[in-house]
Amino acid sequence: MRSLRSFNGALIVAAVALATSGATARGLARPSLFRIELQPTPAAPSAQGVVTLEPAESPFGIALTPDGHFIFDLELRCNGLPAASTFGPYTQYVAWVVTADLSTSQKLGVASTAVPVKGQVAMNKFLVIVSAEGATIGDRWKGPIVLRGFSPSALLENFSGKTMFNGGMPQ
């Protein structure tokens, strides 16, 4: 019985060491929880972007909305964007934060390679997208998306609940 306890203890120590080292079972580093690497879409394969997240300042230590969502300050930097006019009647790029189900969008600002976009987000799971837009910007993107990335909380998603992974039957 003693050897079983020491074996279990060794497993716990190994699991804690693995978790705190930032490594996964495959030996890869865990993704940063405060950095979102934006991926280009086929429309603009040379585009690159990164979003950094920081907890918003608060006199109470952690900034929360009244309903309990964390508030993050974010900064988006991008480069390699082609002229917006290459996609049609578009004049600029706009950065957006969108809920995971695409029902709610929040404009962050005009994105360019010269000046980072700064804003705040108070959503549990979200996407950051950059789209080509015309001179008038509405409440939702209308042009083609050139960069996109998922919030770190999307890493906690249970993929077994997705239609694609359960034989096509929604749960």
Side-chain angles (χ1 to χ4, degrees):
M1 190 64 149
R2 182 176 168 91
S3 63
L4 183 59
R5 276 194 200 140
S6 63
F7 178 72
N8 285 341
L11 281 178
I12 291 170
V13 169
V16 169
L18 183 64
T20 57
S21 71
T24 65
R26 293 179 297 182
L28 302 173
R30 284 184 10 200
S32 171
L33 298 179
F34 296 101
R35 182 179 172 95
I36 303 170
E37 296 287 339
L38 298 179
Q39 302 299 313
T41 63
S46 65
Q48 298 176 334
V50 65
V51 176
T52 53
L53 298 167
E54 288 188 27
E57 288 189 32
S58 168
F60 306 106
I62 281 187
L64 298 171
T65 62
D67 57 344
H69 294 250
F70 286 105
I71 303 172
F72 287 100
D73 290 330
L74 62 82
E75 180 178 282
L76 181 146
R77 293 181 181 272
C78 53
N79 59 44
L81 295 172
S85 60
T86 59
F87 300 108
Y90 305 110
T91 58
Q92 60 190 335
Y93 288 102
V94 178
W96 305 85
V97 176
V98 183
T99 55
D101 64 358
L102 305 179
S103 65
T104 305
S105 61
Q106 171 189 336
K107 179 178 59 177
L108 293 173
V110 175
S112 72
T113 57
V115 179
V117 178
K118 296 182 179 188
Q120 282 193 331
V121 61
M123 300 175 188
N124 283 340
K125 286 187 182 180
F126 59 91
L127 292 93
V128 176
I129 61 172
V130 176
S131 65
E133 299 294 332
T136 304
I137 304 168
D139 293 337
R140 190 171 173 86
W141 75 97
K142 292 187 177 119
I145 296 172
V146 295
L147 289 169
R148 85 271 190 262
F150 292 96
S151 65
S153 56
L155 299 172
L156 302 174
E157 192 167 59
N158 181 356
F159 290 103
S160 67
K162 295 291 186 187
T163 304
M164 182 172 85
F165 295 112
N166 61 29
M169 301 301 294
Q171 303 226 353

